[in-house]
Amino acid sequence: MARYNKVFAGPVSEVLPQVQERLCAAAILPGTALVESGTSFAQAGANALTKIYIAQDNYLAMKGVDDAWLANDRIVGMEMLDEQFFNVRIPTGVNVARGAQLTTNAAGKFILATTGQRVIMIAEEAYNNASGSDQLVRARVARNQLAAA
């Protein structure tokens, strides 16, 4: 069960983030990182270095944040702006501190960045994911950073 019921977390002064719609080649969970792959979206890989989008929950089909977009669905990828918050998916066993630098793993989920990796998001809350399942953690985009030693 997810801690949050939406991936886009605000601010409320902006109704919705800018989005791109594309087909996805495989099933994709909301809150994970996406990259462009030709005319489609693909799951971002480990330490993704290209433009990142966040997979939105499929609210148009009344699906929750734990319901994956199916392969060959038209998926919504949200563009990240500095002033916006997103609830991004972290795998079980990841302990996130407020201000932690996050990058992506091979499944497009957000993990702690290590020295020299691209920092994609900065955690806006502390959460120890000992829940046994992926969870959503509040974060905002980081711009052009590498993880420090």
Side-chain angles (χ1 to χ4, degrees):
M1 181 70 160
R3 297 174 56 232
Y4 296 108
N5 62 1
K6 289 287 178 198
V7 174
F8 178 65
V12 295
S13 61
E14 294 184 32
V15 181
L16 290 174
Q18 295 296 311
V19 298
Q20 299 285 329
E21 292 184 14
R22 291 186 172 64
L23 294 177
C24 59
I28 294 178
L29 282 168
T32 57
L34 303 171
V35 293
E36 295 175 351
S37 177
T39 59
S40 299
F41 274 134
Q43 199 74 74
N47 193 31
L49 298 176
T50 60
K51 183 175 181 175
I52 298 292
Y53 299 83
I54 304 296
Q56 188 170 15
D57 47 294
N58 190 355
Y59 67 92
L60 296 172
M62 294 188 289
K63 304 262 177 126
V65 293
D66 289 329
D67 298 321
W69 294 83
L70 301 177
N72 299 315
D73 271 358
R74 183 164 296 277
I75 187 171
V76 177
M78 297 181 287
E79 294 192 37
M80 301 179 293
L81 299 176
D82 291 337
E83 69 273 8
Q84 296 174 333
F85 295 99
F86 296 89
N87 295 320
V88 297
R89 193 165 297 273
I90 62 166
T92 188
V94 174
N95 186 11
V96 176
R98 181 175 167 82
Q101 299 174 328
L102 305 174
T103 191
T104 51
N105 68 9
K109 297 173 187 170
F110 290 86
I111 59 171
L112 299 174
T114 59
T115 303
Q117 288 184 314
R118 177 185 179 201
V119 177
I120 299 169
M121 304 291 283
I122 303 292
E124 287 290 323
E125 68 173 328
Y127 184 70
N128 182 7
N129 189 5
S131 67
S133 63
D134 296 346
Q135 293 296 326
L136 297 174
V137 169
R138 181 82 30 98
R140 74 174 354 146
V141 68
R143 293 286 181 207
N144 303 322
Q145 295 184 19
L146 291 178

